[in-house]
Amino acid sequence: MSSETALLKQPLAIANEPVTTAQSLAAERDQFGFSVRLFHHIEDVETIWRALEGQSVESPGQSYDFIKLWIQTRRIASQNQFFVVGYHEDRPVALMPLHRKTVKGVRLYTWFPGANVGAYSPLTDLMSVVAMSADMRKTLWTRMTSHLPPADLMYLRAMPVEVGGVGGIFDSLGTSLEFETLYRSHYSSWAECDQLQRSKSRRKHDRQQGERLDAMGAVRFEDVRAGPETHTIIATMFNQRSARFKAMGIPDTFVRENLVAFYHAAAQPGSGVDVRLHVLRLNGDIVAVRYNVVHGDKMFCLISSMSADLAIQNGSPGKQCLLRVMQTVFDEGFRTFDMGAGFTDEKRHWCNVQIPLRQHYVPLSARGDVVLGAHQLIQRTRVRIKANRTLMGVMRWPGQLWNRVTGTPSNHSSE
């Protein structure tokens, strides 16, 4: 029996929550026994959230501690925090954490961290929601999304087509567009991973790269938890990423959107977020970093970096760091290593699980209908461009031209 199937056979124990601090949205039960309430403070839904979180977490975006810290460090006002709880027979069965914001004049309800994690979905009592009929699920999602204060659009990005191994439970949540894929490695051990993912030629290639890196000096791999050196490692990681963004001719979104402080805060003792830093050093210098968040037996890689020093690129420090990660995480008890959305060479080498992601939209005004159509058109165009090498080359050409004009070296590594 899979862990996902076992979850469906376990009852979820959640006590009926007092609603004295909640705003009633649709407190009267409908014909299916559904009611909905709205909260503006994450602490008011902690008991519900943690119980639902224990069912199946597909992303740090579903973690109570991760989102609480995000709200605190981003200083999001309580009036822009919306925690919508759906009840069935007065028992909480679904929770949607939403951030109300205005983007280019459009009033949105959306997930809190945006594109900073690979996937999202409402938290659910999985057993109860799976047992519902399609009409019941449609009613639940409609009631949860139709009683919020006025806005133009609910934009729920990057939702997996299946959660906890079960698909279809969000099919009736607004309209959707499949746009991306989530990549994961799922193995019982390093031996299984090695056997299934590495051919004889791949092992030889990895060994040759390792030998070239070893020839440059002392190589050391570290698994770093919250502690005194985490600030230095994270600062180095973001410096490496900034250098790479500059070489690619694109803006550094982490700096531009003031996101660096959050990742420092998450890695500190007492944050509630289990951050693991995988670090590769050459002669004591940090040459590659992977920033991961752990939840249960799943590890999610949120950010990775490597040195832009062309002198060491022949040793492929990024790939060598990831090789050591794969050699350790599965034998430490992890069963899933999530590498996020979007295809890369490293995901082709290591990931044996691919989960389609959808953008879900719920229009809430006439303007929202117009924005929905325009955004879906943009997303479809992006998918076509990414699938066409010629078009991708055209889109990258301005950045490559900038590098040539300014003399900025391009990053030739595929890592």
Side-chain angles (χ1 to χ4, degrees):
M1 181 186 298
S2 69
S3 59
E4 291 83 4
T5 304
L7 277 172
L8 298 181
K9 296 183 178 296
Q10 299 173 3
L12 179 63
I14 308 179
N16 290 340
E17 289 295 304
V19 295
T20 55
T21 60
Q23 174 184 338
S24 174
L25 294 180
E28 294 299 321
R29 297 184 194 173
D30 61 14
Q31 72 272 25
F32 291 121
F34 291 129
S35 59
V36 180
R37 292 185 174 91
L38 171 66
F39 298 79
H40 285 289
H41 299 278
I42 192 171
E43 294 82 2
D44 293 336
V45 295
E46 179 175 1
T47 301
I48 296 172
W49 191 317
R50 291 197 185 279
L52 296 174
E53 184 179 322
Q55 288 259 310
S56 181
V57 167
E58 301 294 336
S59 160
Q62 294 175 293
S63 162
Y64 174 85
D65 293 306
F66 190 93
I67 299 302
K68 181 180 179 180
L69 184 66
W70 183 272
I71 290 170
Q72 290 173 342
T73 58
R74 305 295 289 167
R75 299 181 181 179
I76 299 172
S78 60
Q79 64 265 30
N80 291 323
Q81 303 173 37
F82 291 80
F83 304 97
V84 187
V85 180
Y87 296 80
H88 184 238
E89 305 294 349
D90 296 328
R91 186 165 176 264
V93 294
L95 186 157
M96 297 178 67
L98 299 171
H99 181 193
R100 183 176 64 180
K101 60 198 304 187
T102 300
V103 179
K104 296 182 178 179
V106 180
R107 299 168 300 169
L108 296 176
Y109 288 106
T110 190
W111 308 122
F112 282 95
N116 288 277
V117 298
Y120 298 89
S121 71
L123 291 106
T124 63
D125 175 349
L126 197 57
M127 182 174 66
S128 297
V129 174
V130 168
M132 294 176 186
S133 67
D135 284 343
M136 287 182 70
R137 284 196 293 269
K138 183 175 182 179
T139 300
L140 173 63
W141 304 133
T142 299
R143 285 176 69 83
M144 290 182 68
T145 59
S146 61
H147 296 281
L148 289 162
D152 297 312
L153 182 67
M154 185 176 291
Y155 170 50
L156 306 175
R157 69 180 313 279
M159 287 180 54
V161 298
E162 64 177 47
V163 174
V166 180
I169 63 175
F170 303 120
D171 286 356
S172 56
L173 176 50
T175 62
S176 63
L177 172 69
E178 190 170 312
F179 84 111
E180 190 60 274
T181 302
L182 189 68
Y183 290 87
R184 290 176 170 172
S185 297
H186 186 84
Y187 304 103
S188 62
S189 65
W190 159 245
E192 181 187 33
C193 173
D194 185 37
Q195 179 184 2
L196 294 177
Q197 292 300 119
R198 293 212 302 169
S199 64
K200 183 177 180 180
S201 62
R202 183 73 225 169
R203 292 190 187 98
K204 179 181 178 180
H205 184 69
D206 290 340
R207 185 177 65 254
Q208 290 173 338
Q209 287 182 333
E211 289 171 350
R212 288 195 290 268
L213 192 63
D214 287 336
M216 300 176 193
V219 178
R220 186 170 79 251
F221 177 73
E222 301 171 345
D223 182 344
V224 180
R225 316 293 170 89
E229 59 184 336
T230 54
H231 277 309
T232 299
I233 295 170
I234 294 170
T236 300
M237 177 187 73
F238 280 115
N239 287 337
Q240 290 176 348
R241 288 198 65 85
S242 290
R244 186 165 189 178
F245 286 141
K246 183 177 180 180
M248 295 171 67
I250 59 178
D252 186 339
T253 56
F254 292 102
V255 173
R256 185 179 61 182
E257 298 179 13
N258 298 316
L259 296 171
V260 175
F262 168 78
Y263 292 97
H264 277 285
Q268 294 310 296
S271 72
V273 183
D274 188 354
V275 172
R276 313 284 177 93
L277 301 174
H278 289 136
V279 183
L280 190 70
R281 294 180 184 268
L282 177 62
N283 297 322
D285 295 328
I286 297 172
V287 294
V289 182
R290 301 190 76 91
Y291 186 111
N292 312 288
V293 171
V294 167
H295 196 284
D297 65 355
K298 295 177 180 177
M299 179 178 287
F300 302 89
C301 182
L302 301 189
I303 310 170
S304 64
S305 73
M306 66 175 181
S307 170
D309 184 354
L310 295 178
I312 65 171
Q313 294 306 305
N314 195 40
S316 301
K319 289 181 179 178
Q320 285 298 304
C321 182
L322 182 55
L323 173 61
R324 287 160 172 81
V325 170
M326 304 303 281
Q327 289 171 334
T328 58
V329 294
F330 296 109
D331 286 341
E332 289 178 345
F334 296 102
R335 292 297 170 261
T336 298
F337 184 66
D338 184 299
M339 295 194 196
F343 181 78
T344 63
D345 195 43
E346 66 181 23
K347 295 172 186 177
R348 177 175 63 84
H349 288 153
W350 294 111
C351 295
N352 63 336
V353 175
Q354 300 181 20
I355 302 174
L357 296 174
R358 293 174 178 166
Q359 311 275 35
H360 283 247
Y361 306 84
V362 181
L364 304 173
S365 72
R367 174 186 283 188
D369 276 316
V370 174
V371 173
L372 185 159
H375 195 269
Q376 286 188 329
L377 177 61
I378 292 170
Q379 294 298 307
R380 290 191 180 99
T381 302
R382 285 183 59 198
V383 170
R384 293 192 186 101
I385 290 174
K386 290 173 72 173
N388 187 303
R389 290 193 175 189
T390 301
L391 289 176
M392 278 295 289
V394 171
M395 295 299 291
R396 288 173 176 167
W397 182 79
Q400 294 170 348
L401 176 62
W402 173 258
N403 291 340
R404 291 188 180 186
V405 170
T406 61
T408 305
S410 298
N411 193 324
H412 299 291
S413 173
S414 61
E415 299 169 52

